[in-house]
Amino acid sequence: MTVNGQEVTADVEPRTLLVHFLRENLRLTGTHVGCETGYCGACTIHVDGQPVKSCTMLAAQADGASVTTIEGLAQNGELHPVQEGFWERHGLQCGFCTPGMIMSAAALLAENDNPSEDQIRHGIEGNLCRCTGYHNIVRAVEYAGAKVRGEEPPAPDWEGAS
Amino acid sequence: MYPREFDYVAPSSLDEALEALGDDSKVMAGGMSLLPLMKMRLFSPAVVVDIGRIGGLDTIEESNGDIVIGALVRHATTATSPLVAQVATGLATAASLTGDVQVRNRGTTCGSLAHADVAADQPAAALALGATMVAQSSEGTREIAASDFFVDALTSALQPNEILTSIRVPKHQAGEGSAYDKLGRRGGRSDYAIAGAAAWVKMEGGSVADARVALTGVGTKASLANAVADAVIGTDGSEQAVKDAAARATEDVTIIEDLYGTEEYKTHLAKVYAARALSQAIANAS
């Protein structure tokens, strides 16, 4: 498979999950293991451009696929707009859900760079955050959407945050 | 959380896949139902036959009066297909409400049907829309009506040597419509159904000429609520007629209490969602 643009080859046990292959074989530990049951989305990566949960996929299923992890999102030392949005709009607290949340948000914006708040919330439905209450995550994605569209991001609404 | 050890085969043709099936094997398409069970070690097949690399199974095609959905068509594809939305509306809605974005990108319509979870969305839609399951084995192909397919919790009529290669869904004709709606475990319509209902109707001259209603999430399997369909047929499909018919939602179903609701609550929800699905199907028919 190709991971973040690099060709990788390995022989693995059939039961090796893709998330473990990424973290343990390739030492790409940005992808997190959360609930392990397919609910929390902390392990979200892109396989052939689509967000998927890497804890619920065998490494062997990704044979030949193009995989992008959180480590592959920044380009030429510049943060991806979603990463910048999480930074600028305080879209994280403990940070555990953040890699998966960013991968889901990046996939959402790749399909629709001007999502409504409702579309953002549904777009990250497969990612659980236990700190933020999602408010600032939504703002971070709105910030990133504006960046992608080449517009000035909306001003922060810290007073309105709940 | 690793599954127990298993042998993995990823054949490139259906014949090879059928050849690989044995008494202790399991077919995997997207793996969204199978892998969590294997990781929790509730289920540990000796052989996993990954059909994900078989060509030609990922298409949605029209054939005579049906649409044919192949074994590898993912929920995301079923949910966003303009064709499915138009001619098998309830199935498209069910797909759009399944899991979340990531799950819909991997899980398949046929896989969910074969898995036969008691609270899955697809079984109710398949029952209400009168789908036919197409199962292949090395001995040939057989077709199974949706009404004969769901046997019990996590148990379908598929044999260990069979693969659900496609489903055939009759296309809505003029005057026909369908719908699906549910209450999800995480509130709203998210996650598996605490209770869900699908409905299909055929309207003629302002009255309901034919109907099918199916429930999911409330019993040990998705099942047809025939009493509701019988009660609404012949009426004008008004709000009151739908409500009266939906009041009979649990006559053909044994309601099972679970972590997500008491028997009383589920009985109530079955009626509410039968009515909602039926009303929406009638609206979609015109």
Side-chain angles (χ1 to χ4, degrees):
Chain A
M1 71 180 84
T2 306
V3 179
N4 300 333
Q6 301 230 317
E7 194 79 30
V8 297
T9 305
D11 285 318
V12 298
E13 256 195 286
R15 60 178 174 163
T16 306
L17 300 167
L18 182 53
V19 68
H20 294 312
F21 178 69
L22 294 169
R23 288 177 56 86
E24 289 160 27
N25 292 53
L26 304 182
R27 296 286 164 192
L28 293 171
T29 54
T31 302
H32 289 172
V33 179
C35 70
E36 292 250 33
T37 56
Y39 273 97
C40 84
C43 65
T44 300
I45 60 168
H46 296 176
V47 173
D48 295 329
Q50 299 294 317
V52 303
K53 292 174 178 174
S54 61
C55 83
T56 311
M57 188 168 170
L58 302 175
Q61 285 177 285
D63 187 9
S66 173
V67 170
T68 305
T69 69
I70 188 73
E71 290 91 344
L73 221 49
Q75 294 292 323
N76 306 316
E78 292 222 358
L79 291 180
H80 185 280
V82 177
Q83 292 173 306
E84 187 184 318
F86 272 66
W87 176 290
E88 293 292 338
R89 290 295 177 267
H90 197 55
L92 63 140
Q93 288 178 32
C94 87
F96 198 85
C97 74
T98 309
M101 198 65 87
I102 287 177
M103 297 309 284
S104 283
L108 171 70
L109 292 179
E111 272 189 18
N112 172 12
D113 67 12
N114 197 10
S116 64
E117 174 162 348
D118 195 50
Q119 286 170 325
I120 293 172
R121 288 183 182 274
H122 278 291
I124 58 171
E125 195 171 34
N127 295 77
L128 302 182
C129 170
R130 283 289 167 263
C131 303
T132 65
Y134 302 97
H135 182 87
N136 285 358
I137 293 175
V138 174
R139 300 293 167 260
V141 180
E142 287 171 346
Y143 176 103
K147 279 286 187 175
V148 171
R149 297 192 302 275
E151 296 169 10
E152 189 62 28
D157 65 342
W158 304 127
E159 281 74 31
S162 53
Chain B
M1 220 160 56
Y2 281 78
R4 289 200 180 91
E5 288 181 18
F6 58 88
D7 287 332
Y8 173 81
V9 286
S12 54
S13 76
L14 194 56
D15 285 344
E16 287 171 73
L18 294 170
E19 192 69 27
L21 290 177
D23 290 340
D24 196 11
S25 61
K26 195 71 187 172
V27 176
M28 178 170 73
M32 291 294 102
S33 301
L34 180 62
L35 289 174
L37 285 181
M38 290 175 61
K39 288 175 65 182
M40 289 184 277
R41 304 198 175 193
L42 295 170
F43 182 57
S44 300
V47 182
V48 170
V49 180
D50 180 357
I51 61 170
R53 289 171 197 281
I54 300 174
L57 294 180
D58 62 349
T59 54
I60 299 175
E61 287 169 355
E62 296 183 76
S63 168
N64 301 320
D66 296 335
I67 54 168
V68 182
I69 298 179
L72 293 177
V73 173
R74 302 193 191 277
H75 298 307
T77 308
T78 303
T80 56
S81 157
L83 177 67
V84 181
Q86 190 188 344
V87 301
T89 316
L91 189 66
T93 306
S96 74
L97 299 179
T98 297
D100 49 45
V101 175
Q102 295 97 314
V103 169
R104 292 193 291 274
N105 281 338
R106 293 291 304 165
T108 64
T109 296
C110 287
S112 177
L113 291 164
H115 184 61
D117 193 287
V118 299
D121 306 303
Q122 283 69 23
L127 283 165
L129 275 71
T132 300
M133 315 293 165
V134 181
Q136 281 198 38
S137 71
S138 49
E139 284 143 39
T141 303
R142 77 181 170 120
E143 301 206 336
I144 309 163
S147 52
D148 294 325
F149 189 75
F150 304 104
V151 176
D152 205 345
L154 301 177
T155 308
S156 77
L158 282 177
Q159 296 301 307
N161 66 337
E162 288 180 320
I163 294 175
L164 180 61
T165 50
S166 65
I167 61 166
R168 309 173 65 87
V169 187
K171 292 197 291 190
H172 296 338
Q173 305 299 316
E176 298 178 5
S178 67
Y180 176 77
D181 200 0
K182 70 171 174 182
L183 178 66
R185 288 177 188 170
R186 276 194 278 155
R189 295 180 173 86
S190 284
D191 209 335
Y192 279 105
I194 296 175
W200 168 89
V201 295
K202 179 184 174 69
M203 302 296 291
E204 262 174 18
S207 68
V208 181
D210 201 358
R212 279 188 300 269
V213 177
L215 299 173
T216 188
V218 296
T220 56
K221 59 174 186 174
S223 53
L224 285 166
N226 290 321
V228 180
D230 291 344
V232 80
I233 292 170
T235 72
D236 59 359
S238 65
E239 197 178 325
Q240 190 59 46
V242 165
K243 199 177 166 195
D244 291 345
R248 305 180 61 182
T250 56
E251 283 183 22
D252 301 286
V253 187
T254 307
I255 303 290
I256 306 282
E257 177 171 322
D258 63 17
L259 281 174
Y260 306 97
T262 61
E263 191 181 326
E264 185 188 6
Y265 182 48
K266 292 213 169 206
T267 301
H268 170 71
L269 289 179
K271 294 172 185 173
V272 168
Y273 280 89
R276 288 186 187 179
L278 205 41
S279 290
Q280 189 60 49
I282 290 167
N284 290 347
S286 49

